[in-house]
């Protein structure tokens, strides 16, 4: 059996069509997907759904709702306990109704008056609210359900003002069962919830058409609960910390004493609810706080969020699950074809791209259209398609690995031979070049009176100098490439190096009518390789002399601070175009402009400069502007 199996794989790898002609991996893929779609994976999908909520980039925020909270701060200020006396509520509503809000939702459970005076204050409160509604405002009590007691209505005289159930749904028995609020209750037993009532009253107030519970995207009816639900979109992060949320909020006592801007509540939906740190029912988990912690979301904020979402008709519609299932099979076929034709590494890259594309599309559908594409099955399909096909492609990769390793060894040997050849040639060239230069100098002194011979001999000396410079650069480059360049760090004043190099180039600069100025600040010695830094300064000065042009000025400046020592070489020459600056330190790169045509070089100078500076734990940068000059700035550690 083992022999047959090995023979099968050998034959498969030899076939030109590869694994694509073997249909059983595709069959296995389909079988796994059929098993996959039988499960919902609610925890994973809930996590992805909450990510969409938190990154909902296209939701609009109109700021139509303001929350007023009865809290510990208001208790301390008023000297009362929840739910406060009717006298306090009378004073509160007197101030609030003067501000002319559009809709008021009062979600505080009031108690029956316990004295004649309280009964009088209750009637005053009722009169104030009726006056408000007669002038075009809308008011509603929000009632709650208490286990074993049913709906808790407001006291008898206030019931005629209207009341609706105030319920917050959490996923405790459905979906992820994680007690997170993701959906709104729109209608209960045929009556609109307080959120839908408030939203419709505000829409009517603004001249917009009212909406029924079934008209919202994704709304559905549950027979067991006798209610209509819809997933809603959070228009802002509703956590209680002020800097992390955008829901306007003000404590109850500030409204009661009139401590708010005159137009703060005008034409707004005002929700009045409790927010006590000691009451668990006043806080809830949301996609923004999946675990209860110090950033728990006040229930009052969720009332505002749901109301705002219904005002703006921002609910979520779930794309049918069968569409996702069909998409799973399509993706499986495409990825199977791709994985059968590519290497495992390329296949992995395609897998990652596909994964990102699926997530990006699902997030875009949610933000732009409020459409919820069930993503978990699609993500798992991508992994299934890859991990079923990749072993077959991996076998072919393993067989070719040996060949690649052998080729790599051969190429490495060839490269070493090339490096050794260049190194030997360069060393061997240095001796005859030095002899030619020496003989040319002797003849230059002998024929000092013969201008014609001097000119020829000068050309020979310049050519040998250029050739020697080229050989030195090649040797340095070989040392860098082979990591054989040794660093000799000693404590040295960089100014002495600058002065020495500048002195060596004064004659060459004078021949071009170029002035070299030095501005050297007193410096402490630093740890550097003097020979390498001398090469760095020399190269920068030599380039400045070559490219700055006649009658220009070169300024060499040094200074330091607590951390760094700075060396700047600046000229006022032709400058370098911006498109060339990013490549200026690349090996074998030469700037292409009019100034460079007459200057010989091989493009290793600045590459070596950068390498030498970085080898000394420093950095180098360049600034240039055409027609104004170029400045190289070296930064070395001041230690």
């Amino acid at each position: 059996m083992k022999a047959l199996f090995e023979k099968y794989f050998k034959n498969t790898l030899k076939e030109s069509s590869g694994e694509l002609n073997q249909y059983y991996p595709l069959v296995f893929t389909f079988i796994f997907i059929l098993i996959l779609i039988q499960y919902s994976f609610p925890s994973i999908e809930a996590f992805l759904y909450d990510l969409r909520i938190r990154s909902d980039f296209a939701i609009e925020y109109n700021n139509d709702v303001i929350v007023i909270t009865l809290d510990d701060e208001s208790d301390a200020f008023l000297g009362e306990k929840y739910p406060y006396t009717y006298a306090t509520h009378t004073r509160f509503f007197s101030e609030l109704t003067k501000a002319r809000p559009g809709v008021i939702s009062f979600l505080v459970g009031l108690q029956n008056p316990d004295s004649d005076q309280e009964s009088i204050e209750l009637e005053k409160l009722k009169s104030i609210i009726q006056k408000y509604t007669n002038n075009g405002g809308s008011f509603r009590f929000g009632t709650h359900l208490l286990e074993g007691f049913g709906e808790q209505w407001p006291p008898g005289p206030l019931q005629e003002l209207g009341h609706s159930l105030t319920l917050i749904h959490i996923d405790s028995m459905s979906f992820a069962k994680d007690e997170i609020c993701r959906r709104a209750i729109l209608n209960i037993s045929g009556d609109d919830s307080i959120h839908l009532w408030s939203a419709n009253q505000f829409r009517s107030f603004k001249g917009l058409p009212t909406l029924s519970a079934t008209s919202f995207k994704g709304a559905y009816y549950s027979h067991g609960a006798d209610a209509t639900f819809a997933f809603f979109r959070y228009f802002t992060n509703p956590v209680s910390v002020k800097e992390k949320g955008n829901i306007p909020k003000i404590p109850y006592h500030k409204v009661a004493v009139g401590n708010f801007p005159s137009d703060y509540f005008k034409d707004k939906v005002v929700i009045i609810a409790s927010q006590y740190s000691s009451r668990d029912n006043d806080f809830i988990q949301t996609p923004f706080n999946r675990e209860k912690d110090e950033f728990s979301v006040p229930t009052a904020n969720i009332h505002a969020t749901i109301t705002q979402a219904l005002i703006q008709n921002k609910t979520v519609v779930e794309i049918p699950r069968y569409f996702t299932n069909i998409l799973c099979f399509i993706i499986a076929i495409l990825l199977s074809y791709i994985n059968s034709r590519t290497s495992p590494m390329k296949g992995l890259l395609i897998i990652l791209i596909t994964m990102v594309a699926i997530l990006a599309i699902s997030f875009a559908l949610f933000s732009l259209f409020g459409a919820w594409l069930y993503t978990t099955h699609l993500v798992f399909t991508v992994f299934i398609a890859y991990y079923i096909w990749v072993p077959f492609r991996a076998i072919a990769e393993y067989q070719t690995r040996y060949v690649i390793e052998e080729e790599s060894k051969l190429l490495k040997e060839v490269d070493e031979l090339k490096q050794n050849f260049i190194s030997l040639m360069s060393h061997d060239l240095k001796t005859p070049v030095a002899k030619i230069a020496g003989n040319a100098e002797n003849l230059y002194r002998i024929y000092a009176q013969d201008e014609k011979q001097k000119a020829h001999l000068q050309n020979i000396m310049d050519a040998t100098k250029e050739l020697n410079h080229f050989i030195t650069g090649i040797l340095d480059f070989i040392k860098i490439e082979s990591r054989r360049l040794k660093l000799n760090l000693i404590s040295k004043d960089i100014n002495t190096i600058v002065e020495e190099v500048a002195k060596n180039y004064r004659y060459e600069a004078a021949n071009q009518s170029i002035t070299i100025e030095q501005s050297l600040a007193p410096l402490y010695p630093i740890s550097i390789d003097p020979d390498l830094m001398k090469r760095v300064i020399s190269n920068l000065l030599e380039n400045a002399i070559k490219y700055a042009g006649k009658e220009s000025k070169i300024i060499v400046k040094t200074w330091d601070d607590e951390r760094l020592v700075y060396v700047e070489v600046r000229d006022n020459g032709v400058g370098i175009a911006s498109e060339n600056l990013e490549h200026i330190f690349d090996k074998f790169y030469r700037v292409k402009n009019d100034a460079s045509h007459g200057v010989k070089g091989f493009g290793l100078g600045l590459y070596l400069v950068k390498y030498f500076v970085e080898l000394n734990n420093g950095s180098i940068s360049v600034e240039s502007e055409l027609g104004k000059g170029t400045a190289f700035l070296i930064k070395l550690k001041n230690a």
Side-chain angles (χ1 to χ4, degrees), residues 9 54 100 118 124 140 152 155 194 199 261 317 368 384 400 445 456 477 486 569 588 592-593 597 601 621 639:
F9 276 114
R54 294 198 296 270
R100 295 176 294 171
E118 279 289 87
K124 288 183 180 178
R140 200 79 161 180
Q152 301 301 295
I194 189 68
V317 58
L368 298 175
I384 289 172
T400 58
R445 286 191 292 270
H456 291 309
F477 178 71
K486 294 182 180 180
V569 178
F588 301 116
K592 298 176 178 61
N593 56 31
H597 290 327
S621 59

Side-chain angles (χ1 to χ4, degrees), residues 19 59 134 155 157 191 422 424 498 543 634:
E19 293 85 354
I59 189 74
N134 290 337
D191 295 326
I422 295 175
L424 289 172
V498 171
N543 281 352
I634 300 170

Side-chain angles (χ1 to χ4, degrees), residues 341-358:
R341 294 298 184 92
T342 60
S343 65
M345 286 303 298
K346 289 183 178 179
L348 179 60
L349 178 61
I350 293 170
I351 289 296
L352 294 175
I353 293 173
T354 305
M355 190 80 65
V356 172
I358 289 172

Side-chain angles (χ1 to χ4, degrees), residues 139-156:
F139 176 87
R140 200 79 161 180
F141 281 106
T143 58
H144 302 271
L145 285 177
L146 295 182
E147 188 174 352
F149 295 94
E151 184 178 357
Q152 301 301 295
W153 290 1

Side-chain angles (χ1 to χ4, degrees), residues 399-416:
Q399 286 188 332
T400 58
R401 179 179 297 178
Y402 177 78
V403 176
I404 294 174
E405 288 177 352
E406 290 300 314
E407 290 178 353
S408 178
K409 289 179 183 179
L410 180 61
L411 290 173
K412 187 176 180 180
E413 291 176 1
V414 171
D415 185 65
E416 288 180 356

